[in-house]
Amino acid sequence: MARPSFPLLTERLMLRPFEDEDLEAMHAIYGREDVNRFLDWEPRSRDAVREWLDRIKTMIALTPRGDGLRLAALLKGTDTLIGDFSVWRTSREHQQGELGFVLHPDFQGKGYGQEAANVMLRMGFERLRFHRIAAQCDARNAPSATLMERLGMRREAHLRESQFIKGEWVDELVYAMLASEWHANH
Ligand SMILES: CC(C)(COP(=O)(O)OP(=O)(O)OC[C@H]1O[C@@H](n2cnc3c(N)ncnc32)[C@H](O)[C@@H]1OP(=O)(O)O)[C@@H](O)C(=O)NCCC(=O)NCCS
């Protein structure tokens, strides 16, 4: 059901489901303090990443149980895994989805985030048929907010101290795009 064919290709990237062999590359991303700075996670151990990979590698389609797509982004024509991109269902009844993106710091600042996240929005609206896709970030996470704006998402809310993360109250920004907005521009 609603399962795209993989890999998905962009100008410079290839996106495909996660595999057990991605353990080292994923640990190289999620084991870092800087990557987790604005995420509600602490840096993860190799074992924690292995366990987690087991779950996320099954996120390859919308199924009656839920889920969505969670894909590894690789530089096209190489085995270099540079990031983790996802679009998943948050409400079946209301056809709502959410977008997530994480890049290894060595590959930030090159436009790869925008390239991969744009494909995930396309999948979310055109294959998974979401009515609205939202994304949230810590209000201090400027690269994330900028990326959402570059994707054409609207800032819908600035929630004051809506979360208590890593010992402090943090503001959260909510961005979203509607299917009608996507189709008007693509
Ligand atoms: C959020 C995140 C993915 C954004 O990454 P990013 O590299 O800033 O975003 P992009 O890949 O779209 O790259 C945009 C930058 O590349 C530059 N760039 C270089 N070549 C480019 C190209 N060919 N096309 C587009 N942009 C290009 C842009 O000018 C821009 O730089 P600027 O921000 O200095 O203006 C990244 O900061 C990250 O992974 N953070 C840690 C995890 C995290 O917080 N995730 C979000 C949770 S809410």
Side-chain angles (χ1 to χ4, degrees):
M1 182 191 289
R3 180 185 168 160
S5 0
F6 300 112
L8 307 176
L9 299 176
T10 69
E11 191 189 333
R12 297 176 294 170
L13 303 174
M14 176 181 102
L15 287 94
R16 55 131 174 93
F18 282 99
E19 301 166 353
D20 292 335
E21 292 66 32
D22 296 330
L23 175 60
E24 292 311 320
M26 283 291 270
H27 184 243
I29 296 175
Y30 285 101
R32 293 175 66 122
E33 192 76 49
D34 52 358
V35 168
N36 290 281
R37 169 78 180 89
F38 295 120
L39 304 179
D40 190 8
W41 298 324
E42 297 299 337
R44 298 181 189 203
S45 67
R46 185 172 276 95
D47 282 346
V49 173
R50 182 182 292 111
E51 215 172 279
W52 184 54
L53 257 184
D54 253 1
R55 280 189 281 129
I56 66 174
K57 71 186 185 190
T58 65
M59 288 183 64
I60 54 173
L62 281 187
T63 70
R65 283 179 290 115
D67 19 281
L69 299 178
R70 185 142 198 163
L71 302 176
L74 287 81
L75 296 180
K76 218 174 184 175
T78 76
D79 290 331
T80 309
L81 191 159
I82 66 163
D84 166 19
F85 290 82
S86 45
V87 62
W88 68 96
R89 181 157 60 196
T90 53
S91 164
R92 170 191 284 270
E93 186 185 1
H94 304 293
Q95 293 171 249
Q96 300 290 300
E98 192 156 323
L99 179 72
F101 36 78
V102 173
L103 279 174
H104 187 290
D106 289 355
F107 298 96
Q108 294 174 12
K110 301 177 193 318
Y112 292 134
Q114 190 177 346
E115 204 169 310
N118 199 55
V119 166
M120 300 309 281
L121 282 179
R122 178 179 298 285
M123 287 294 117
F125 288 122
E126 298 183 9
R127 296 299 300 259
L128 310 185
R129 303 274 175 205
F130 291 134
H131 178 74
R132 174 177 172 274
I133 297 178
Q136 281 122 43
C137 70
D138 185 316
R140 298 165 300 178
N141 192 349
S144 178
T146 303
L147 172 52
M148 292 190 257
E149 278 161 20
R150 285 192 176 122
L151 289 167
M153 300 178 87
R154 274 173 297 98
R155 185 186 288 195
E156 293 190 336
H158 182 145
L159 307 176
R160 298 282 175 197
E161 301 192 4
S162 54
Q163 297 185 322
F164 189 74
I165 297 176
K166 298 177 182 168
E168 56 184 338
W169 288 106
V170 301
D171 289 9
E172 191 184 13
L173 301 179
V174 180
Y175 282 83
M177 186 186 286
L178 299 175
S180 56
E181 293 170 324
W182 171 265
H183 290 293
N185 291 303
H186 296 88

